[in-house]
Amino acid sequence: MEIYDLCIIGGGPTGYAAAMRALDFNKKVILIEKDRLGGAQVFDGVMASKTLWEYSERIRNVREITRNNDVAENLTYDEVSEEVNNAIFERKTQLTYHLRLLQEQLPYGMLTYEKGSGYIIDKNTVRISGDGIKEIKTKFILICTGSSPRILPNVLVDETNIMTSDGIHHMEEFPKSLVILGAGIIGCEYATMFSNFGKTKVYLIDKAERILPFEDEDVTGIVTKNLEKNGVTIHKEATLIRMEKTTDGMVEYEIACKGKENQIFKVDKALISIGRVANSHNIGLENVNIKVNDAKQILDDDTQTSVPNIYTAGDVSGRISLVNVGEREARHAVVLMFGEERPRRIRYNNISTIMFLNPEVAAVGMNEQEARAKKIRYKLAKVDYGTIARAIAMRKTDGFFKILVSDDDEMKILGMRAVGEHASSAIQAVALLISMNKGIDELTQLMHPHPSIIEGIQECVRMLKGKSIYKPSVFRDRLQCYTCHDGICTPLYPQ
Ligand SMILES: Cc1cc2nc3c(=O)[nH]c(=O)nc-3n(C[C@H](O)[C@H](O)[C@H](O)COP(=O)(O)OP(=O)(O)OC[C@H]3O[C@@H](n4cnc5c(N)ncnc54)[C@H](O)[C@@H]3O)c2cc1C
C-alpha cells in the first residue's frame, strides 16, 4: 500500500495551496480531487464571475460615456462566455501544468495527483474511488472538500431555468429578465453584472430591509442607488412563497413583501443565491468521529479537528468563504503538521475582501455596526471620493474611504471600508497595519504618488490627527471625523 506524509482530500484552491506548502517541507503528498482541479476558484466561481464582472464594467463605462444604453445591442452571451471560458482555461491550464511540471522535477512519488473521490476509512487510511478503487496510508489528512450552493427544498433547481452559481455561466443567451434570490455578496455581484450589460431586467429578492445587511448603511446606500439607477428592482423585506418553471419555459415566482399584498412575477431565468453548504458528507467523518456543527461545517481548533492528525481548511470549515482565507488556513495547517515551531494562531481580523459591485467595495477588519455591537469606542474618519484628485480626474467621484481606529492615543486601526473606483487597490496597506497591530502614524509618513486614489486614506489619517489638508469644518458634507461611543457620535473638530 502507498504511504504518504499528507493526504489532501479536495483539489480546490485550499487543497492546492496545502500541497504546494507541504512540498516546502520535503514531504510526500497525495492530492485527491473528484471533479476539477481548482474547485470554485476556477470553475463556476471566482474566475467565471470576475471575468464576467470585468467585461460588464467595460460595457457600463461605455454606456455611461456615450449615454447610449444600447451599446451592447449586438453583443451575444456566447461572445461574453467565450471570454469567460478563455480566462477559466488559462487559469486551469496554469494550475495543471504547474502541478505536472513539478511532479517531473521532484523525486518520483513525492507529489501524486489522484482523480477520484476521497473517503476516510480510519485516521491513517483513505480510500480513493476513481477509475478503480484503492486505499492509501498517510500520517496526516487535510480535508478541503469545499462547499456547494445552498438550495431550497421547495424550489426545483434544474440549472437551466432555475439556476445556482453552478449554472448561471452556462446560459446560451442573455436572459431578458432575471430574478436573483438573495442579496448577499454573490447575489448583488450578479445583479451588478447583468444590469451592467443593459440587456437584462434584474429583480433582486431579499428578506432584509436592505441589501448586504452586514455592511454599514453608507456602503449599501451607494450600491443600492447604483443598482436602482441601472434598472434593478429590489424587493426588500420580501419572502419567497413559491418559484417554479412554467409550461412556456419561463419562471414564475410569488413573494410576500412586508405590509403589501402578495405579488406574482414572470421572468426568463432565476438565480438562487442564498449561501453555500459545506461538503462534509460522504467523506467518512463518522469513521473517525469528527464532529460537524448544525450547518454541517467541520469543527476545528485553529484548523486541527478533534482527531489530532486530521486537519481541515477552506469552505468546508465554513468560517469565511474566500480563496485567500482557504489558502491561508491550508498553509497554516501544513506548518502545524510539519513545522519545527508552532506558528501563532490564525487571526481573522485583517482579512481583506473585495465586493465586485458598482462601484467596487473593499473591506478589511471591523465596520461601524460591528464596532457598535461589540461596544467598542472608536474614532472615525471619512473622506468622500469627491475630494480626491484622481477620482475627480477619472470623473468617478461616487464613493468614500472610511477608517475606524481605537479611541485612544495609539489609534490602532480597527477596520476600513473603501467604496469607489480602484477601492481594492487601497486596502492592503491598512490590512498590513491591522495585522501588525499598528497605529495610524505609519500611514501619515508614506509618500503616495499623485494623483492616486490611495491619497484618500492618507487624508483620513491626517484628519484623525487634526492635520488634514482639506478641513472638515469647510467641506462638511464630504469630510467627517467623529468619536463614537454607544452609538452616539461627536465631531472631533469644529463643524
Ligand atoms: C460565484 C462565486 C464567486 C466567488 N467570488 C469570490 C471572490 O471574488 N473572491 C474570493 O476570495 N472568493 C470567492 N468565492 C469563494 C471561493 O470560490 C471559495 O471560498 C473557494 O473556492 C474555497 O476553496 P476550497 O478549496 O475550500 O473549496 P472549493 O473551491 O469548493 O474546492 C473543493 C474541491 O474539493 C473537491 N471535493 C469535494 N469532495 C471531495 C472528495 N470526497 N474527494 C475529492 N475531492 C472532493 C471538489 O470537487 C472541489 O474541487 C466565490 C464563490 C462563488 C461560488
Side-chain angles (χ1 to χ4, degrees), residues 155-343:
V155 175
L156 186 66
V157 170
D158 59 4
E159 296 295 8
T160 306
N161 289 77
I162 303 181
M163 301 168 285
T164 65
S165 55
D166 283 354
I168 189 99
H169 296 282
H170 305 283
M171 288 188 301
E172 284 169 3
E173 49 194 35
F174 280 106
K176 287 200 177 58
S177 51
L178 169 74
V179 63
I180 300 173
L181 178 67
I185 298 176
I186 292 181
C188 287
E189 285 187 350
Y190 280 111
T192 304
M193 294 175 223
F194 281 97
S195 60
N196 274 351
F197 284 112
K199 295 174 77 90
T200 303
K201 166 70 193 169
V202 179
Y203 300 85
L204 186 57
I205 306 177
D206 201 40
K207 56 178 188 294
E209 243 182 323
R210 59 187 174 87
I211 62 166
L212 304 167
F214 44 87
E215 275 303 338
D216 290 340
E217 272 188 72
D218 48 4
V219 175
T220 50
I222 292 188
V223 177
T224 305
K225 182 192 76 185
N226 286 342
L227 281 172
E228 288 177 340
K229 201 170 103 192
N230 239 354
V232 177
T233 298
I234 306 175
H235 304 299
K236 290 173 194 155
E237 293 183 278
T239 310
L240 183 76
I241 306 294
R242 64 180 174 89
M243 178 183 281
E244 60 227 357
K245 186 178 161 184
T246 57
T247 46
D248 56 356
M250 297 199 46
V251 176
E252 190 173 274
Y253 66 94
E254 182 175 351
I255 48 166
C257 288
K258 200 175 163 191
K260 289 186 193 159
E261 297 241 312
N262 283 11
Q263 290 171 283
I264 296 173
F265 294 83
K266 211 167 171 184
V267 288
D268 276 1
K269 305 272 179 192
L271 170 68
I272 308 291
S273 178
I274 50 171
R276 301 194 48 98
V277 282
N279 295 331
S280 58
H281 50 286
N282 298 335
I283 52 173
L285 294 184
E286 56 289 354
N287 297 336
V288 279
N289 208 15
I290 288 179
K291 300 272 176 293
V292 293
N293 62 16
D294 291 346
K296 307 279 182 249
Q297 294 153 346
I298 297 179
L299 294 172
D300 66 332
D301 177 22
D302 200 30
T303 71
Q304 192 173 26
T305 69
S306 51
V307 181
N309 73 317
I310 304 184
Y311 290 71
T312 182
D315 278 19
V316 72
S317 52
R319 266 173 297 265
I320 303 171
S321 292
L322 288 171
V323 169
N324 48 344
V325 175
E327 288 180 348
R328 176 83 182 81
E329 290 178 342
R331 292 168 64 85
H332 181 77
V334 171
V335 178
L336 284 174
M337 290 172 205
F338 305 120
E340 279 177 13
E341 282 174 28
R342 198 180 169 88

